[in-house]
Amino acid sequence: MEKVAWINLLNDFYGQLLTRRQQDFMELYYGQNLSLGEIAGEFKVTRQAVHDTLKRAEQLLNEYESKLGLVEKFNNERNKLAAAALLLDEYSSACKDDRVLRARQILTEILDMVNK
């Protein structure tokens, strides 16, 4: 997974555990793609202060994940749901049971929600 996507996913799970300033910098840098200089200007701090804050926040997010593993569990469950959906697709092509089609629809709705 690319770094920006990984950090955003970690931030979705653990961002509330960061300080308000770390949250703001993470949102501006990773969410809105602002540069270090733009963030520094907005908060009237140095680029180095923004860089240090971002690096510390990234480190904390990675530490939370290594201890709690919520993102890994989430990804595993999402992959299992996707695999189940594929199996239902294969089965439903041979069998037109409405229950199988409804189960596939439910899985699709769940996968759509977790992939947002």
Side-chain angles (χ1 to χ4, degrees), residues 6 10 13 36 64:
W6 175 249
L10 289 176
F13 276 82
L36 298 178
Y64 295 142

Side-chain angles (χ1 to χ4, degrees), residues 100-115:
V100 173
L101 296 174
R102 180 64 185 134
R104 178 60 175 102
Q105 182 182 10
I106 291 168
L107 275 175
T108 300
E109 290 171 8
I110 292 169
L111 285 168
D112 288 346
M113 287 188 320
V114 299
N115 287 327

Side-chain angles (χ1 to χ4, degrees), residues 2-44:
E2 108 179 52
K3 180 183 178 183
V4 172
W6 175 249
I7 294 296
N8 279 322
L9 191 54
L10 289 176
N11 198 38
D12 287 344
F13 276 82
Y14 307 113
Q16 293 299 310
L17 300 173
L18 300 175
T19 66
R20 184 76 239 155
R21 184 179 204 84
Q22 288 170 331
Q23 290 176 35
D24 290 343
F25 286 9
M26 293 291 286
E27 169 58 27
L28 293 172
Y29 188 74
Y30 287 105
Q32 298 182 24
N33 202 29
L34 267 63
S35 70
L36 298 178
E38 291 169 322
I39 298 168
E42 188 171 320
F43 284 85
K44 297 180 180 30

Side-chain angles (χ1 to χ4, degrees), residues 39 51 74 88 100:
I39 298 168
H51 178 267
F74 170 79
L88 283 172
V100 173

Side-chain angles (χ1 to χ4, degrees), residues 21-22 25 36-37 39-41 43-57:
R21 184 179 204 84
Q22 288 170 331
F25 286 9
L36 298 178
I39 298 168
F43 284 85
K44 297 180 180 30
V45 296
T46 64
R47 291 177 71 248
Q48 185 65 44
V50 174
H51 178 267
D52 292 346
T53 301
L54 288 170
K55 289 302 166 196
R56 178 67 181 138

